[in-house]
Amino acid sequence: MTQPSSGTPLASDSLEIRDSRTGSTYSAPVRTEGPEGDTYMRAMDLRPIKQEAGEFGLLSYDPAFMNTASCRSAITFIDGDKGILRYRGYPIEQLAEKATFLEVAYLLRNGELPNQGQYDSWVHDITYHTYVHENIRKFLEGFRYDAHPMSMLCSATAALSSFYPEARDIHDPQQRYISTIRLLAKLPTIAAFAYRHVKGLPFIYPDNDLSYSENFLSMIARMSEPKYEANPVFVKALEVLFILHADHEQNCSTNAVRAVGSSHVDPFSAVAAGIAALYGPLHGGANEAVLRMITEIGDKKNIPAFIEAVKSGKGEQRLMGFGHRVYKSYDPRARIVKKLADEVFAQVGMDKDLEIALELERIALSDDYFVSRKLYPNVDFYTGLIYRSMAFPTDFFTVLFAVARVSGWLAQWEEMILDKEQKIARPRQIYIGHGERQYADPLSDKFPRTRKDSIRK
Ligand code: ACO
């Protein structure tokens, strides 16, 4: 298990700050750290800046964390301008081509690729924890026939916490390990059960003879055949998509897992918070939103009008699957996914919606509105099309994202737990409400016969 060293920064310089209110000057260390030379100052170095003794001190205000690092992490590196994504130093392109998803999950957690013995025991442990308690099955059966599978996944993951009370001992490495194994092993089972519930199909229990992705496809698609044989192109596609979605440093859902986990709640509850964050259409829900958008466009001839509506902000419509908070040249995952889409569509045939997507991408990439705002296709622009060609329903796409991302969430959660600098996450605020005012009962004069009055009597 690796964690960011809390040693001395590689180099240090300082920022001289002059407060024009008082004429005082302050010196704040500027730190340069890590292989890519990230520079930063500590926000707490602003605190001594004050007009009078006894004042709270200067706060930094950063809604949506646009320029605030919440942690020092050794897991994932992104260079948004150059379109680089690396897990533990390994380029995403190499991992997508050569590694398996479980190898990547091991790498994210442990910092190094496993040797054969480590890999075998990791896969063995995950394979033999895929079954869920029968009460989880009954719990899922309690959902309505049209429940969104993300709601089911989120609730069932939170419910798992009640089955493993020992997981609350987050300071025990063995408990952290077994919770990690359980989450990696059981999320695909819960996801597949949610799928079968909505379809009204009997649940298929895990088959421990199959690989991680084959078993998942078996639990999704197996009918009366005694042994499920997955389409190898689909197995490969799923492995690659899981690897691409495994981690993405401090995104919305990872931040949620870290923030909730910082209260020292058990990891099942923290991961449930991550699933809830991922559900939103601006995050993991985007792949679903892309497909809905393409269906709404309906035909290539409608694209120019749609693009105009996006540009004019009519109905606050966005081009879903375009744009990213971090990637401002291209999303390296989108390039891999586009190639993967070609391979899958070579097998299942070209589809009208893919043609719309290609045309949409072509028009947007040559339109100044998108170019000037550095809006490029993100990973989700094509993933939905691949998933649908594999016969996954639209509202299941984000579930597939969650099944992969749990590997990153858990690595990030454990890094946070082991990071001696971390405390319970608790941002500050700039208070803009009323100053102190006195309570004068507005109900007593105007509404003498209110319920409030009767309670008082
Ligand atoms: N379509 C049209 N315009 C857009 C889009 C888009 N997809 N994304 C950003 N813009 C515009 C904004 O309107 C804004 O324009 P303005 O400067 O004229 O006001 C400008 O580009 C900057 O946009 P912000 O919202 O400030 O960018 P931010 O970094 O906050 O948002 C986000 C990033 C949320 C991903 C955004 O690009 C978006 O909503 N994209 C569509 C949803 C999507 O695909 N999400 C998936 C992200 S990847 C993932 O989570 C796995």
Side-chain angles (χ1 to χ4, degrees):
M1 179 70 43
T2 55
Q3 50 181 307
S5 114
S6 52
T8 323
L10 294 181
S12 100
D13 241 314
S14 68
L15 190 72
E16 299 303 313
I17 304 168
R18 183 175 169 280
D19 187 344
S20 65
R21 299 171 305 170
T22 59
S24 304
T25 55
Y26 301 83
S27 178
V30 172
R31 295 152 205 269
T32 304
E33 208 174 357
E36 305 296 328
D38 286 347
T39 54
Y40 64 96
M41 67 174 288
R42 283 182 178 263
M44 281 302 279
D45 288 337
L46 295 173
R47 189 67 78 76
I49 302 178
K50 43 183 93 168
Q51 278 179 291
E52 284 168 24
E55 250 181 29
F56 185 77
L58 197 64
L59 285 175
S60 61
Y61 172 56
D62 188 12
F65 301 112
M66 294 293 283
N67 197 41
T68 294
S70 62
C71 62
R72 295 160 63 250
S73 178
I75 300 174
T76 290
F77 172 74
I78 299 174
D79 183 327
D81 291 331
K82 295 190 189 134
I84 292 173
L85 170 61
R86 297 184 202 130
Y87 297 158
R88 300 284 189 184
Y90 295 102
I92 190 67
E93 293 79 4
Q94 291 179 21
L95 292 170
E97 192 187 332
K98 297 179 181 151
T100 67
F101 170 64
L102 289 188
E103 206 178 349
V104 168
Y106 183 99
L107 170 71
L108 289 170
R109 178 175 194 265
N110 297 286
E112 297 296 336
L113 288 165
N115 62 30
Q116 193 62 51
Q118 290 165 330
Y119 182 67
D120 291 346
S121 86
W122 175 247
V123 172
H124 174 275
D125 287 353
I126 291 171
T127 306
Y128 284 89
H129 282 89
T130 46
Y131 274 64
V132 291
H133 193 287
E134 279 294 285
N135 287 357
I136 285 284
R137 186 179 64 77
K138 289 183 199 146
F139 179 73
L140 289 168
E141 280 170 354
F143 280 91
R144 279 177 58 110
Y145 69 94
D146 59 352
H148 195 290
M150 278 299 274
S151 299
M152 297 171 76
L153 186 72
C154 184
S155 329
T157 304
L160 277 183
S161 148
S162 68
F163 289 81
Y164 305 106
E166 64 277 19
R168 285 181 220 145
D169 190 1
I170 55 155
H171 298 297
D172 177 352
Q174 196 46 40
Q175 285 305 332
R176 290 200 303 270
Y177 177 75
I178 192 67
S179 293
T180 297
I181 292 292
R182 283 179 172 138
L183 277 158
L184 283 167
K186 294 181 199 310
L187 244 63
T189 310
I190 294 173
F193 282 10
Y195 172 93
R196 306 277 300 197
H197 174 74
V198 172
K199 293 264 174 203
L201 291 167
F203 295 167
I204 301 292
Y205 285 75
D207 181 342
N208 291 350
D209 291 338
L210 300 177
S211 74
Y212 189 81
S213 294
E214 284 173 321
N215 173 52
F216 183 55
L217 289 171
S218 160
M219 291 189 291
I220 292 282
R222 193 169 133 202
M223 297 305 282
S224 59
E225 63 272 39
K227 196 83 187 161
Y228 182 75
E229 280 183 37
N231 179 334
V233 176
F234 289 0
V235 174
K236 172 72 185 155
L238 211 52
E239 284 280 315
V240 172
L241 290 168
F242 281 176
I243 290 170
L244 297 185
H245 284 101
D247 195 49
H248 212 233
E249 51 120 302
Q250 306 314 312
N251 54 84
C252 176
S253 56
T254 301
N255 184 54
V257 171
R258 277 184 175 257
V260 172
S262 77
S263 73
H264 288 182
V265 73
D266 68 87
F268 297 95
S269 304
V271 164
I275 296 172
L278 191 71
Y279 190 6
L282 296 189
H283 190 16
N287 52 15
E288 182 178 336
V290 170
L291 222 72
R292 296 199 195 288
M293 173 188 76
I294 288 175
T295 309
E296 191 188 314
I297 293 172
D299 195 290
K300 278 206 285 190
K301 71 175 180 351
N302 300 329
I303 293 176
F306 178 80
I307 294 277
E308 279 316 308
V310 168
K311 284 161 58 177
S312 66
K314 224 189 279 171
E316 298 196 337
Q317 177 72 64
R318 285 197 162 191
L319 179 51
M320 300 311 286
F322 261 63
H324 199 276
R325 171 63 59 80
V326 178
Y327 296 119
K328 298 299 177 194
S329 64
Y330 69 92
D331 180 340
R333 302 167 301 172
R335 194 171 277 175
I336 300 168
V337 167
K338 193 170 178 185
K339 192 163 158 270
L340 195 66
D342 290 342
E343 286 165 27
V344 173
F345 281 102
Q347 169 122 146
V348 296
M350 183 81 164
D351 141 303
K352 178 172 77 76
D353 288 347
L354 179 65
E355 288 176 19
I356 295 177
L358 287 169
E359 183 64 1
L360 207 50
E361 183 188 17
R362 190 190 65 74
I363 293 179
L365 289 180
S366 56
D367 188 305
D368 188 55
Y369 175 92
F370 299 94
V371 175
S372 65
R373 287 171 178 77
K374 299 188 173 174
L375 300 171
Y376 298 90
N378 60 49
V379 64
D380 285 327
F381 193 68
Y382 284 106
T383 49
L385 289 162
I386 299 179
Y387 287 141
R388 204 192 43 188
S389 72
M390 293 167 74
F392 286 113
T394 308
D395 62 5
F396 199 69
F397 298 167
T398 318
V399 171
L400 295 161
F401 190 161
V403 166
R405 183 56 61 86
V406 71
S407 59
W409 288 333
L410 289 164
Q412 300 270 354
W413 165 76
E414 195 153 9
E415 187 180 68
M416 181 269 304
I417 295 293
L418 294 175
D419 184 345
K420 301 231 171 343
E421 271 201 308
Q422 290 292 340
K423 293 171 185 279
I424 187 164
R426 204 308 185 178
R428 294 278 172 184
Q429 66 167 10
I430 311 294
Y431 176 69
I432 57 166
H434 287 284
E436 182 179 337
R437 48 183 178 160
Q438 304 306 314
Y439 179 78
D441 193 343
L443 300 179
S444 58
D445 304 338
K446 294 180 195 149
F447 312 106
R449 305 190 80 75
T450 60
R451 184 169 160 267
K452 195 172 170 192
D453 270 358
S454 62
I455 290 167
R456 280 192 192 138
K457 278 173 196 153

